[in-house]
Amino acid sequence: MRLWVLLSLLLLQEALPHVIGQPAKSKRPKEPGENKIKPVNKKLKPKTPKTKERESADSSLKSQSILTQVMGKGHVQKLAATLSLTAGQSIELRCKGSNVTWNYPSYLDTFKDSRLSIKQLDRYSQLILANSTAADTGEYSCWLQLCNGNKCRKDETKTGSTYIFFTDKEELFVPTPSYFEIVYLNPDKPAVIPCRVTTPSAKVTLHREFPAEEIEIDGTGIIYDAKKGFVFQHPTPDHKGIVYCKAESQGAPQISIKYHLLYVEVPKGPPSTTIAVSSSRARLSDRVHVVCTVLGEPDVDVNFRWQYPGQETRSRGRIAGGWNPSPGKRDLL
């Protein structure tokens, strides 16, 4: 009986591995340190916080441009920060939106130039400039207006801007309506000599009329920007005088208009006013001369508004305006 049980156990041990489907493995002694986990050079991708994802989404919205250029039939392309075209070409710009406002060189409005046309359509606004000239060089931008009743504001997330150079080898400098211009040098802020060029690759230098010399441009105190002109970062009394710009680009050099640099030191604060009258007493039908004088920074716009007896009944009174580089004046006659 014991012999039969022992034989049955032996047969069961031999058959068990084959029943489970795994062959019997022979054991061997483990080498020292074999159970240690080997380091794996696996790069883990860091997780970006959700707040950062929101910030990047917001920044992409802020940089969204709605300005495009029409290249051909049904083909438009987004504009870069700058664009160079040959003077004489016509250009069509489009700005997406149902209520769009445009900004362009102001002289086009001043002279009511018929070459410029703007139309607001259902999905976009269209700006067409025909027969461009060197004087059209400048910034062209647009933005969407958000209106609530009569109040409107600029949508900062939907804007577009580009600076267009209309190159003309005969007009290296952007033409101006005058031949002489005054530039005020204020020690508290940069001053700009606006000798802008129509060809961005033109070499531009700055010159003093007396004594006749070229002004050194160091790239820090004085820099040149083709979109603005020469920028004096920290004006000093040594910079005052009459200057002009010279440009060269594959041909004879050209000279800009002259700029008179005036150094001014104006106390900070609101403008001050004084009023004076020609006579404190007057008879009926006599003329009284009243002068209102404003002292302040020369490049700050001043709006005058008069109040006097009989104004509501439209009595006689004539307002004359005047300006000079020192005080601003308005006369009531």
Side-chain angles (χ1 to χ4, degrees), residues 291-295 304 306 320-324 326-331:
V291 179
C292 178
T293 303
V294 177
L295 295 175
F304 289 84
W306 284 94
W323 178 90
N324 59 58
S326 47
K329 293 183 179 180
R330 290 295 185 274
D331 301 343

Side-chain angles (χ1 to χ4, degrees), residues 271-322:
S272 62
T273 60
T274 58
I275 193 165
V277 62
S278 59
S279 177
S280 59
R281 292 184 180 183
R283 293 179 299 180
L284 187 65
S285 75
D286 284 352
R287 174 175 291 189
V288 178
H289 190 194
V290 183
V291 179
C292 178
T293 303
V294 177
L295 295 175
E297 297 186 37
D299 56 351
V300 174
D301 293 333
V302 178
N303 295 319
F304 289 84
R305 186 174 61 180
W306 284 94
Q307 291 182 346
Y308 52 90
Q311 185 177 14
E312 295 179 358
T313 58
R314 297 184 181 180
S315 64
R316 290 184 178 181
R318 183 171 63 87
I319 298 176

Side-chain angles (χ1 to χ4, degrees), residues 61-229:
L61 287 175
K62 290 181 181 179
S63 60
Q64 181 182 5
S65 177
I66 58 176
L67 181 62
T68 56
Q69 178 188 4
V70 178
M71 305 301 295
K73 294 182 179 180
H75 177 62
V76 296
Q77 71 173 13
K78 290 186 177 181
L79 287 170
T82 59
L83 176 66
S84 292
L85 298 175
T86 304
Q89 288 184 268
S90 298
I91 185 173
E92 179 182 347
L93 304 178
R94 290 182 182 179
C95 205
K96 294 180 182 178
S98 58
N99 187 10
V100 172
T101 300
W102 289 90
N103 183 50
Y104 41 83
S106 58
Y107 95 95
L108 290 170
D109 275 340
T110 303
F111 297 99
K112 297 181 180 180
D113 203 317
S114 60
R115 297 178 300 114
L116 176 71
S117 65
I118 296 177
K119 294 181 181 179
Q120 178 65 62
L121 304 176
D122 293 337
R123 295 185 178 181
Y124 60 88
S125 179
Q126 177 192 61
L127 182 149
I128 297 178
L129 180 62
N131 301 322
S132 62
T133 67
D136 300 326
T137 296
E139 183 178 11
Y140 292 75
S141 60
C142 64
W143 58 89
L144 190 64
Q145 287 278 77
L146 298 177
C147 296
N148 184 8
N150 295 328
K151 296 182 179 180
C152 296
R153 62 181 179 86
K154 181 179 179 180
D155 187 350
E156 299 291 346
T157 64
K158 294 182 180 179
T159 63
S161 177
T162 187
Y163 191 96
I164 304 179
F165 294 93
F166 290 100
T167 60
D168 186 347
K169 63 181 181 180
E170 303 297 329
E171 294 279 2
L172 290 183
F173 289 105
V174 178
T176 59
S178 62
Y179 294 95
F180 192 82
E181 190 171 329
I182 295 176
V183 176
Y184 292 100
L185 305 178
N186 191 312
D188 297 329
K189 57 184 178 182
V192 178
I193 301 175
C195 50
R196 299 179 295 127
V197 291
T198 61
T199 303
S201 60
K203 180 184 178 182
V204 186
T205 53
L206 183 62
H207 299 259
R208 190 182 301 278
E209 188 175 54
F210 183 81
E213 61 181 359
E214 180 179 341
I215 299 175
E216 182 181 356
I217 309 303
D218 55 10
T220 54
I222 304 177
I223 61 175
Y224 182 73
D225 185 341
K227 301 177 185 179
K228 298 179 180 179

